[in-house]
CSV table of all heavy atoms in Angstrom, one decimal:
chain,number,residue,atom,x,y,z
A,2,MET,N,-60.9,91.9,91.9
A,2,MET,CA,-61.0,93.1,91.1
A,2,MET,C,-60.6,92.8,89.7
A,2,MET,O,-59.6,92.1,89.4
A,2,MET,CB,-60.1,94.1,91.7
A,2,MET,CG,-60.1,95.4,91.0
A,2,MET,SD,-59.1,96.7,91.9
A,2,MET,CE,-57.5,96.1,91.7
A,3,SER,N,-61.3,93.3,88.6
A,3,SER,CA,-60.9,93.1,87.3
A,3,SER,C,-59.7,94.0,87.0
A,3,SER,O,-59.6,95.1,87.4
A,3,SER,CB,-62.1,93.5,86.4
A,3,SER,OG,-62.2,94.9,86.3
A,4,ASP,N,-58.7,93.4,86.3
A,4,ASP,CA,-57.6,94.1,86.1
A,4,ASP,C,-57.6,94.7,84.7
A,4,ASP,O,-58.4,94.4,83.8
A,4,ASP,CB,-56.4,93.1,86.1
A,4,ASP,CG,-56.0,92.8,87.4
A,4,ASP,OD1,-56.2,93.7,88.4
A,4,ASP,OD2,-55.4,91.7,87.7
A,6,TYR,N,-58.8,96.9,83.0
A,6,TYR,CA,-60.0,97.8,82.7
A,6,TYR,C,-60.0,98.0,81.1
A,6,TYR,O,-60.2,99.2,80.7
A,6,TYR,CB,-59.9,99.2,83.3
A,6,TYR,CG,-59.6,99.1,84.8
A,6,TYR,CD1,-58.3,99.4,85.3
A,6,TYR,CD2,-60.6,98.6,85.7
A,6,TYR,CE1,-58.1,99.3,86.6
A,6,TYR,CE2,-60.3,98.5,87.1
A,6,TYR,CZ,-59.1,98.9,87.5
A,6,TYR,OH,-58.8,98.8,88.9
A,19,ILE,N,-47.0,100.6,91.3
A,19,ILE,CA,-46.8,102.0,91.7
A,19,ILE,C,-46.5,101.9,93.1
A,19,ILE,O,-47.3,101.4,93.9
A,19,ILE,CB,-47.9,102.9,91.3
A,19,ILE,CG1,-48.2,103.0,89.8
A,19,ILE,CG2,-47.7,104.3,91.9
A,19,ILE,CD1,-47.1,103.7,89.0
A,21,LEU,N,-45.7,104.2,96.5
A,21,LEU,CA,-45.6,105.5,97.2
A,21,LEU,C,-44.8,105.3,98.5
A,21,LEU,O,-45.2,104.5,99.3
A,21,LEU,CB,-47.0,106.1,97.5
A,21,LEU,CG,-48.0,106.2,96.4
A,21,LEU,CD1,-49.3,106.9,96.8
A,21,LEU,CD2,-47.4,106.9,95.2
A,24,PRO,N,-46.0,108.4,102.1
A,24,PRO,CA,-46.8,109.6,101.9
A,24,PRO,C,-47.4,110.1,103.2
A,24,PRO,O,-47.8,109.3,104.0
A,24,PRO,CB,-47.9,109.1,100.9
A,24,PRO,CG,-47.9,107.6,101.2
A,24,PRO,CD,-46.6,107.1,101.7
A,26,HIS,N,-49.9,112.6,103.3
A,26,HIS,CA,-51.3,113.1,103.1
A,26,HIS,C,-52.1,111.9,102.5
A,26,HIS,O,-51.8,111.5,101.4
A,26,HIS,CB,-51.4,114.3,102.2
A,26,HIS,CG,-50.7,115.4,102.8
A,26,HIS,ND1,-50.9,115.9,103.9
A,26,HIS,CD2,-49.6,116.2,102.2
A,26,HIS,CE1,-50.1,117.0,104.2
A,26,HIS,NE2,-49.3,117.1,103.2
A,27,TYR,N,-53.0,111.4,103.3
A,27,TYR,CA,-53.7,110.2,102.8
A,27,TYR,C,-54.6,110.5,101.6
A,27,TYR,O,-54.8,109.8,100.8
A,27,TYR,CB,-54.6,109.6,103.9
A,27,TYR,CG,-53.8,109.0,104.9
A,27,TYR,CD1,-54.2,108.8,106.3
A,27,TYR,CD2,-52.6,108.4,104.6
A,27,TYR,CE1,-53.4,108.2,107.3
A,27,TYR,CE2,-51.8,107.7,105.6
A,27,TYR,CZ,-52.2,107.7,106.9
A,27,TYR,OH,-51.4,107.0,107.9
A,28,GLY,N,-54.9,111.9,101.5
A,28,GLY,CA,-55.7,112.3,100.3
A,28,GLY,C,-54.9,112.0,99.0
A,28,GLY,O,-55.5,111.6,98.0
A,29,ASN,N,-53.6,112.2,99.1
A,29,ASN,CA,-52.7,111.9,98.0
A,29,ASN,C,-52.7,110.4,97.5
A,29,ASN,O,-52.6,110.1,96.4
A,29,ASN,CB,-51.3,112.3,98.2
A,29,ASN,CG,-51.0,113.8,97.9
A,29,ASN,OD1,-51.8,114.5,97.1
A,29,ASN,ND2,-50.1,114.4,98.6
A,30,ILE,N,-53.0,109.6,98.5
A,30,ILE,CA,-53.0,108.1,98.2
A,30,ILE,C,-54.3,107.9,97.4
A,30,ILE,O,-54.3,107.1,96.5
A,30,ILE,CB,-52.9,107.2,99.4
A,30,ILE,CG1,-51.7,107.6,100.3
A,30,ILE,CG2,-52.9,105.8,99.1
A,30,ILE,CD1,-51.6,106.8,101.6
A,31,GLY,N,-55.4,108.5,97.8
A,31,GLY,CA,-56.6,108.4,97.1
A,31,GLY,C,-56.5,108.9,95.7
A,31,GLY,O,-57.0,108.3,94.7
A,32,SER,N,-56.0,110.2,95.6
A,32,SER,CA,-55.8,110.7,94.3
A,32,SER,C,-54.9,109.9,93.4
A,32,SER,O,-55.1,109.8,92.2
A,32,SER,CB,-55.2,112.2,94.4
A,32,SER,OG,-56.1,112.9,95.1
A,33,ALA,N,-53.8,109.3,94.0
A,33,ALA,CA,-52.9,108.5,93.2
A,33,ALA,C,-53.7,107.3,92.7
A,33,ALA,O,-53.5,106.8,91.4
A,33,ALA,CB,-51.8,108.1,94.0
A,34,SER,N,-54.6,106.7,93.5
A,34,SER,CA,-55.4,105.5,93.1
A,34,SER,C,-56.3,105.9,91.9
A,34,SER,O,-56.3,105.2,90.9
A,34,SER,CB,-56.3,105.0,94.2
A,34,SER,OG,-55.6,104.9,95.4
A,35,ARG,N,-56.8,107.1,92.0
A,35,ARG,CA,-57.7,107.5,90.9
A,35,ARG,C,-56.9,107.8,89.6
A,35,ARG,O,-57.2,107.4,88.5
A,35,ARG,CB,-58.4,108.9,91.3
A,35,ARG,CG,-59.3,109.4,90.2
A,35,ARG,CD,-60.0,110.6,90.7
A,35,ARG,NE,-60.9,111.1,89.7
A,35,ARG,CZ,-61.5,112.3,89.8
A,35,ARG,NH1,-61.3,113.1,90.9
A,35,ARG,NH2,-62.3,112.7,88.9
A,36,ALA,N,-55.7,108.4,89.7
A,36,ALA,CA,-54.8,108.7,88.6
A,36,ALA,C,-54.5,107.3,87.9
A,36,ALA,O,-54.5,107.2,86.7
A,36,ALA,CB,-53.5,109.4,89.1
A,37,MET,N,-54.1,106.3,88.8
A,37,MET,CA,-53.8,105.0,88.2
A,37,MET,C,-54.9,104.3,87.5
A,37,MET,O,-54.8,103.9,86.3
A,37,MET,CB,-53.3,104.0,89.4
A,37,MET,CG,-52.0,104.4,90.0
A,37,MET,SD,-51.7,103.5,91.5
A,37,MET,CE,-51.7,101.8,90.9
A,38,LYS,N,-56.1,104.4,88.1
A,38,LYS,CA,-57.3,103.6,87.5
A,38,LYS,C,-57.7,104.2,86.2
A,38,LYS,O,-58.0,103.5,85.3
A,38,LYS,CB,-58.4,103.5,88.5
A,38,LYS,CG,-59.6,102.7,88.0
A,38,LYS,CD,-60.6,102.3,89.0
A,38,LYS,CE,-61.8,101.5,88.3
A,38,LYS,NZ,-62.7,101.1,89.3
A,39,THR,N,-57.6,105.5,86.1
A,39,THR,CA,-58.0,106.2,84.8
A,39,THR,C,-57.1,105.7,83.7
A,39,THR,O,-57.5,105.7,82.6
A,39,THR,CB,-57.9,107.8,84.9
A,39,THR,OG1,-56.6,108.1,85.3
A,39,THR,CG2,-59.0,108.3,85.8
A,42,LEU,N,-54.1,101.2,85.5
A,42,LEU,CA,-53.1,100.5,86.4
A,42,LEU,C,-53.9,100.1,87.7
A,42,LEU,O,-54.8,100.9,88.1
A,42,LEU,CB,-52.0,101.5,86.8
A,42,LEU,CG,-51.0,101.7,85.6
A,42,LEU,CD1,-50.4,103.1,85.8
A,42,LEU,CD2,-50.0,100.6,85.7
A,43,SER,N,-53.5,99.1,88.3
A,43,SER,CA,-54.3,98.7,89.6
A,43,SER,C,-53.4,98.3,90.7
A,43,SER,O,-53.9,98.0,91.8
A,43,SER,CB,-55.2,97.6,89.2
A,43,SER,OG,-54.4,96.4,88.7
A,44,LYS,N,-52.1,98.1,90.6
A,44,LYS,CA,-51.2,97.5,91.6
A,44,LYS,C,-50.5,98.7,92.4
A,44,LYS,O,-49.6,99.2,91.9
A,44,LYS,CB,-50.2,96.6,91.1
A,44,LYS,CG,-50.7,95.6,90.1
A,44,LYS,CD,-51.2,94.4,90.9
A,44,LYS,CE,-51.6,93.1,90.1
A,44,LYS,NZ,-52.5,93.4,88.9
A,45,LEU,N,-51.1,99.0,93.6
A,45,LEU,CA,-50.5,100.1,94.3
A,45,LEU,C,-49.9,99.5,95.6
A,45,LEU,O,-50.5,98.7,96.3
A,45,LEU,CB,-51.7,101.1,94.7
A,45,LEU,CG,-51.3,102.3,95.7
A,45,LEU,CD1,-50.2,103.1,95.0
A,45,LEU,CD2,-52.5,103.1,95.9
A,46,ARG,N,-48.7,100.0,95.9
A,46,ARG,CA,-48.0,99.6,97.1
A,46,ARG,C,-47.6,100.8,97.9
A,46,ARG,O,-47.2,101.8,97.3
A,46,ARG,CB,-46.7,98.7,96.9
A,46,ARG,CG,-47.0,97.4,96.2
A,46,ARG,CD,-45.8,96.5,96.0
A,46,ARG,NE,-46.3,95.3,95.4
A,46,ARG,CZ,-45.4,94.3,95.0
A,46,ARG,NH1,-44.1,94.5,95.1
A,46,ARG,NH2,-45.9,93.3,94.5
A,47,ILE,N,-47.8,100.8,99.2
A,47,ILE,CA,-47.5,101.9,100.0
A,47,ILE,C,-46.4,101.5,101.1
A,47,ILE,O,-46.6,100.4,101.7
A,47,ILE,CB,-48.7,102.4,100.8
A,47,ILE,CG1,-49.9,102.5,100.0
A,47,ILE,CG2,-48.4,103.7,101.6
A,47,ILE,CD1,-49.9,103.7,99.0
A,52,GLY,N,-49.4,101.6,109.2
A,52,GLY,CA,-50.4,100.6,109.1
A,52,GLY,C,-51.5,101.1,108.0
A,52,GLY,O,-51.2,101.3,106.9
A,53,SER,N,-52.8,101.1,108.4
A,53,SER,CA,-53.9,101.3,107.5
A,53,SER,C,-53.7,102.7,106.8
A,53,SER,O,-53.4,103.7,107.4
A,53,SER,CB,-55.1,101.2,108.2
A,53,SER,OG,-56.2,101.5,107.3
A,54,ILE,N,-54.0,102.7,105.5
A,54,ILE,CA,-54.0,103.9,104.7
A,54,ILE,C,-55.3,104.3,104.3
A,54,ILE,O,-55.5,105.3,103.4
A,54,ILE,CB,-53.0,103.7,103.5
A,54,ILE,CG1,-53.2,102.3,102.9
A,54,ILE,CG2,-51.5,103.7,104.0
A,54,ILE,CD1,-53.5,102.4,101.5
A,55,ILE,N,-56.3,103.5,104.5
A,55,ILE,CA,-57.7,103.8,104.0
A,55,ILE,C,-58.4,104.6,105.0
A,55,ILE,O,-59.1,104.2,105.8
A,55,ILE,CB,-58.5,102.5,103.7
A,55,ILE,CG1,-57.5,101.6,102.8
A,55,ILE,CG2,-59.8,102.7,103.1
A,55,ILE,CD1,-58.0,100.3,102.5
A,56,THR,N,-58.3,105.9,104.8
A,56,THR,CA,-59.0,106.9,105.6
A,56,THR,C,-60.2,107.5,104.8
A,56,THR,O,-60.2,107.3,103.6
A,56,THR,CB,-58.0,108.1,106.0
A,56,THR,OG1,-57.6,108.7,104.7
A,56,THR,CG2,-56.8,107.6,106.7
A,57,ASP,N,-61.0,108.2,105.5
A,57,ASP,CA,-62.1,108.8,104.8
A,57,ASP,C,-61.6,109.8,103.7
A,57,ASP,O,-62.2,109.8,102.6
A,57,ASP,CB,-63.0,109.7,105.8
A,57,ASP,CG,-63.8,108.7,106.7
A,57,ASP,OD1,-63.8,107.5,106.4
A,57,ASP,OD2,-64.3,109.2,107.7
A,58,GLU,N,-60.6,110.5,104.0
A,58,GLU,CA,-60.1,111.5,103.0
A,58,GLU,C,-59.5,110.8,101.8
A,58,GLU,O,-59.8,111.1,100.6
A,58,GLU,CB,-58.9,112.3,103.7
A,58,GLU,CG,-58.5,113.5,102.9
A,58,GLU,CD,-57.3,114.1,103.4
A,58,GLU,OE1,-56.6,113.5,104.3
A,58,GLU,OE2,-56.9,115.1,102.8
A,59,ALA,N,-58.8,109.6,102.0
A,59,ALA,CA,-58.2,108.9,100.9
A,59,ALA,C,-59.4,108.3,100.1
A,59,ALA,O,-59.3,108.4,98.8
A,59,ALA,CB,-57.4,107.7,101.4
A,60,LEU,N,-60.4,107.8,100.8
A,60,LEU,CA,-61.6,107.2,100.0
A,60,LEU,C,-62.2,108.3,99.2
A,60,LEU,O,-62.6,108.0,98.0
A,60,LEU,CB,-62.5,106.6,101.0
A,60,LEU,CG,-62.2,105.1,101.4
A,60,LEU,CD1,-63.1,104.7,102.5
A,60,LEU,CD2,-62.4,104.2,100.2
A,61,ALA,N,-62.4,109.4,99.8
A,61,ALA,CA,-63.2,110.6,99.1
A,61,ALA,C,-62.4,110.9,97.8
A,61,ALA,O,-63.1,111.1,96.8
A,61,ALA,CB,-63.4,111.7,100.1
A,62,LEU,N,-61.1,111.0,97.9
A,62,LEU,CA,-60.3,111.6,96.7
A,62,LEU,C,-60.1,110.4,95.7
A,62,LEU,O,-59.8,110.7,94.6
A,62,LEU,CB,-59.0,112.1,97.2
A,62,LEU,CG,-59.2,113.5,97.8
A,62,LEU,CD1,-58.0,114.0,98.6
A,62,LEU,CD2,-59.5,114.6,96.7
A,63,SER,N,-60.3,109.2,96.2
A,63,SER,CA,-60.1,108.1,95.2
A,63,SER,C,-61.3,108.0,94.2
A,63,SER,O,-61.3,107.4,93.1
A,63,SER,CB,-59.9,106.7,95.9
A,63,SER,OG,-61.1,106.3,96.5
A,64,LYS,N,-62.4,108.6,94.6
A,64,LYS,CA,-63.7,108.6,93.8
A,64,LYS,C,-64.0,107.1,93.4
A,64,LYS,O,-64.1,106.3,94.2
A,64,LYS,CB,-63.5,109.5,92.6
A,64,LYS,CG,-63.4,110.9,92.9
A,64,LYS,CD,-64.6,111.7,92.8
A,64,LYS,CE,-64.4,113.2,93.2
A,64,LYS,NZ,-65.6,113.9,93.3
A,65,GLY,N,-64.1,106.9,92.1
A,65,GLY,CA,-64.5,105.6,91.6
A,65,GLY,C,-63.3,104.6,91.6
A,65,GLY,O,-63.5,103.5,91.1
A,66,ALA,N,-62.2,104.9,92.2
A,66,ALA,CA,-61.0,104.0,92.2
A,66,ALA,C,-60.8,103.5,93.7
A,66,ALA,O,-59.7,103.1,94.0
A,66,ALA,CB,-59.7,104.8,91.8
A,67,ALA,N,-61.9,103.4,94.4
A,67,ALA,CA,-61.8,102.8,95.8
A,67,ALA,C,-61.3,101.4,95.8
A,67,ALA,O,-60.6,100.9,96.7
A,67,ALA,CB,-63.1,102.9,96.5
A,68,ASP,N,-61.5,100.7,94.6
A,68,ASP,CA,-61.0,99.3,94.5
A,68,ASP,C,-59.5,99.2,94.5
A,68,ASP,O,-58.8,98.4,95.2
A,68,ASP,CB,-61.6,98.6,93.3
A,68,ASP,CG,-61.4,99.4,92.0
A,68,ASP,OD1,-61.1,100.5,92.1
A,68,ASP,OD2,-61.7,98.7,90.9
A,69,VAL,N,-58.9,100.3,93.8
A,69,VAL,CA,-57.4,100.3,93.8
A,69,VAL,C,-56.9,100.5,95.1
A,69,VAL,O,-55.9,99.9,95.6
A,69,VAL,CB,-56.9,101.3,92.7
A,69,VAL,CG1,-55.4,101.5,92.8
A,69,VAL,CG2,-57.4,100.9,91.3
A,70,LEU,N,-57.5,101.6,95.8
A,70,LEU,CA,-57.1,102.0,97.2
A,70,LEU,C,-57.2,100.8,98.1
A,70,LEU,O,-56.2,100.5,98.9
A,70,LEU,CB,-57.9,103.1,97.6
A,70,LEU,CG,-57.6,103.7,99.0
A,70,LEU,CD1,-56.3,104.3,99.1
A,70,LEU,CD2,-58.7,104.8,99.4
A,71,LYS,N,-58.4,100.2,98.0
A,71,LYS,CA,-58.6,99.1,99.1
A,71,LYS,C,-57.7,97.9,98.9
A,71,LYS,O,-57.4,97.1,99.8
A,71,LYS,CB,-60.1,98.6,99.0
A,71,LYS,CG,-61.0,99.7,99.7
A,71,LYS,CD,-62.4,99.3,99.6
A,71,LYS,CE,-63.3,100.3,100.2
A,71,LYS,NZ,-64.8,100.1,99.8
A,72,SER,N,-57.2,97.7,97.6
A,72,SER,CA,-56.4,96.5,97.4
A,72,SER,C,-54.9,96.8,97.5
A,72,SER,O,-54.1,96.0,97.2
A,72,SER,CB,-56.7,95.8,96.1
A,72,SER,OG,-56.4,96.8,95.0
A,73,ALA,N,-54.6,98.1,97.8
A,73,ALA,CA,-53.3,98.5,98.0
A,73,ALA,C,-52.5,97.6,99.1
A,73,ALA,O,-53.1,97.4,100.1
A,73,ALA,CB,-53.1,99.9,98.3
A,74,GLU,N,-51.3,97.3,98.8
A,74,GLU,CA,-50.5,96.6,99.8
A,74,GLU,C,-49.7,97.5,100.6
A,74,GLU,O,-49.0,98.4,100.0
A,74,GLU,CB,-49.6,95.5,99.1
A,74,GLU,CG,-50.4,94.5,98.3
A,74,GLU,CD,-49.4,93.6,97.5
A,74,GLU,OE1,-49.1,94.1,96.4
A,74,GLU,OE2,-49.0,92.5,98.0
A,75,VAL,N,-49.6,97.3,101.9
A,75,VAL,CA,-48.8,98.2,102.7
A,75,VAL,C,-47.6,97.4,103.3
A,75,VAL,O,-47.8,96.3,103.8
A,75,VAL,CB,-49.6,98.7,104.0
A,75,VAL,CG1,-48.8,99.7,104.8
A,75,VAL,CG2,-50.9,99.4,103.4
A,160,ALA,N,-49.7,112.9,93.5
A,160,ALA,CA,-50.6,112.2,92.7
A,160,ALA,C,-50.6,112.7,91.2
A,160,ALA,O,-50.8,111.9,90.3
A,160,ALA,CB,-52.1,112.5,93.2
Side-chain angles (χ1 to χ4, degrees):
M2 181 172 67
S3 71
D4 280 334
Y6 315 106
I19 297 293
L21 306 184
H26 300 303
Y27 288 154
N29 274 336
I30 307 177
S32 300
S34 308
R35 182 178 179 187
M37 288 170 62
K38 185 165 174 177
T39 55
L42 288 153
S43 60
K44 310 274 187 310
L45 177 60
R46 294 183 180 177
I47 313 287
S53 175
I54 43 122
I55 303 174
T56 61
D57 287 347
E58 194 193 2
L60 273 173
L62 284 163
S63 70
K64 297 260 182 189
D68 53 346
V69 174
L70 177 67
K71 285 180 180 164
S72 63
E74 297 172 277
V75 181

